[in-house]
Amino acid sequence: MTQMPHSSLLGLQLPELTLLVEEFGQPAYRARQLFEALYRQRVEALEQISTLPQDFRESLSERGISIGLPGIEKKFVSSDGTVRYLVACGDGQSVETVWMPEGDGGEAGDGSEAGNQTETSGRTWERATICVSSQVGCAVDCQFCLTALLGIKRNLTAGEIVGQVCAVLNDQRVSLPLHRINLVFMGMGEPFLNYGNFMKAVHLLVEGVGIVESRMTVSTAGIVPAIYDFGLEPVRPKIAISLNAPNDELRTRLMPINRKWNLEKLMAAAREFPLRNRENLTFEYVLLDGVNDSAENAREVVELVRGLASET
Ligand code: SF4
């Protein structure tokens, strides 16, 4: 575990919380109370956990242990209701998390009926998608991406990934499971290059926060070994592959990672990906004027994905 286990509670799973409460001489059921408070109730401070005895909360605090919910540094609100959050990481860095009411037009979630309309920030929404970051910066160097200019600063911990979601849900006063929330791991970073923390966060979001994995999608630039591992996960989001070019020459130019895992390897992993009932693969393709958007490119894409159960 990369996170300092005893300073920030957010990011800890039930067995880790159990060890912690035992360290403080508390009965094991206190771990479940902490888990519920952290993830289901999304508390912001220890004092809010009224199920825990006052002296236990004080002892935690005296040892420098806090919830660890990241703060919102800045909010940029667009006229369509999209809110771009700069979420503070503890070390002075920040990542971007985006709230998109009524979905982003691409990932509509599980296809079920929209829930009741809700008003936050003076706007009404039926469902919403949160775009989550997995790293500070990114090492992948896609030529069309601003994050690539930062390079990779560091991986986010599981707590920081879950924390982004909790901070935005709290700010938007979301009540789960009443409201329909989709998550897309398409923010800063390549989730499959921070695989352990990303998957740990997925489990906490499913089991703790209460967002089902069928409403989550992870986007990868094509980290082929991780695609195979991901297919074997018992609990996992849907997968989207960032394609952006239909041949190796162009894809290597746009996404240098294609040198390591070329289209043949990537498409083999896509073909072998164990899809679930009613699940499709998604391919993302950023249209760049005069670069990858010719009729010939379109024909090549059709050939590439022929026979796959996919959405583009
Ligand atoms: S993997 Fe995603 S975040 Fe990283 S450079 Fe490519 S598009 Fe940008």
Side-chain angles (χ1 to χ4, degrees), residues 137-142 144-148 186-190 221 242 255:
C138 186
V140 176
D141 201 24
C142 301
F144 48 82
C145 172
L146 278 179
T147 301
M186 298 181 182
M188 287 169 89
E190 163 57 61
S242 185
M255 303 176 74

Side-chain angles (χ1 to χ4, degrees), residues 291-302:
V291 177
N292 63 357
D293 63 344
S294 69
E296 176 58 20
N297 294 152
R299 277 190 288 275
E300 286 177 297
V301 170
V302 170

Side-chain angles (χ1 to χ4, degrees), residues 127-179:
R127 61 186 166 81
T129 298
I130 303 173
C131 180
V132 185
S133 292
S134 55
Q135 297 179 303
V136 184
C138 186
V140 176
D141 201 24
C142 301
Q143 297 301 293
F144 48 82
C145 172
L146 278 179
T147 301
L149 299 176
L150 294 173
I152 180 70
K153 306 276 187 212
R154 69 171 173 88
N155 284 333
L156 292 180
T157 64
E160 287 170 328
I161 297 172
V162 175
Q164 288 170 68
V165 178
C166 291
V168 171
L169 292 175
N170 286 354
D171 190 61
Q172 294 289 339
R173 301 198 296 277
V174 171
S175 169
L176 293 169
L178 184 67
H179 296 136

Side-chain angles (χ1 to χ4, degrees), residues 50-277:
S50 53
T51 48
L52 297 182
Q54 174 92 10
D55 58 346
F56 179 36
R57 282 180 276 165
E58 280 170 9
S59 310
L60 286 168
S61 200
E62 278 160 17
R63 279 263 300 268
I65 296 171
S66 66
I67 302 292
L69 192 71
I72 292 170
E73 246 171 34
K74 273 190 189 143
K75 256 166 90 167
F76 305 92
V77 184
S78 303
S79 54
D80 65 357
T82 299
V83 183
R84 208 156 55 81
Y85 289 91
L86 278 190
V87 178
C89 306
D91 57 357
Q93 314 266 10
S94 54
V95 291
E96 195 171 286
T97 314
V98 185
W99 166 263
M100 294 169 285
E102 296 174 36
D104 64 353
E107 280 307 314
D110 63 355
S112 60
E113 292 295 312
N116 294 332
Q117 292 210 330
T118 302
E119 189 183 319
T120 53
S121 317
R123 285 191 59 89
T124 304
W125 52 276
E126 294 177 345
R127 61 186 166 81
T129 298
I130 303 173
C131 180
V132 185
S133 292
S134 55
Q135 297 179 303
V136 184
C138 186
V140 176
D141 201 24
C142 301
Q143 297 301 293
F144 48 82
C145 172
L146 278 179
T147 301
L149 299 176
L150 294 173
I152 180 70
K153 306 276 187 212
R154 69 171 173 88
N155 284 333
L156 292 180
T157 64
E160 287 170 328
I161 297 172
V162 175
Q164 288 170 68
V165 178
C166 291
V168 171
L169 292 175
N170 286 354
D171 190 61
Q172 294 289 339
R173 301 198 296 277
V174 171
S175 169
L176 293 169
L178 184 67
H179 296 136
R180 267 193 56 198
I181 298 297
N182 302 312
L183 299 183
V184 291
F185 297 93
M186 298 181 182
M188 287 169 89
E190 163 57 61
F192 283 0
L193 291 180
N194 185 16
Y195 192 84
N197 288 333
F198 161 67
M199 282 309 301
K200 187 177 182 189
V202 165
H203 279 272
L204 292 170
L205 288 162
V206 173
E207 293 148 23
V209 177
I211 302 174
V212 292
E213 70 262 34
S214 59
R215 288 191 183 159
M216 301 181 189
T217 301
V218 61
S219 170
T220 178
I223 313 299
V224 167
I227 295 175
Y228 284 105
D229 290 345
F230 186 65
L232 300 175
E233 295 285 353
V235 174
R236 63 159 177 82
K238 293 181 286 183
I239 187 169
I241 294 175
S242 185
L243 188 63
N244 305 312
N247 59 62
D248 278 325
E249 187 271 323
L250 187 52
R251 193 165 192 271
T252 300
R253 202 148 40 94
L254 295 177
M255 303 176 74
I257 195 143
N258 194 67
R259 262 188 220 110
K260 190 160 187 183
W261 294 293
N262 65 14
L263 278 172
E264 190 189 342
K265 290 176 183 157
L266 179 60
M267 295 313 289
R271 280 176 209 290
E272 287 167 41
F273 193 78
L275 291 171
R276 295 181 178 155
N277 208 11

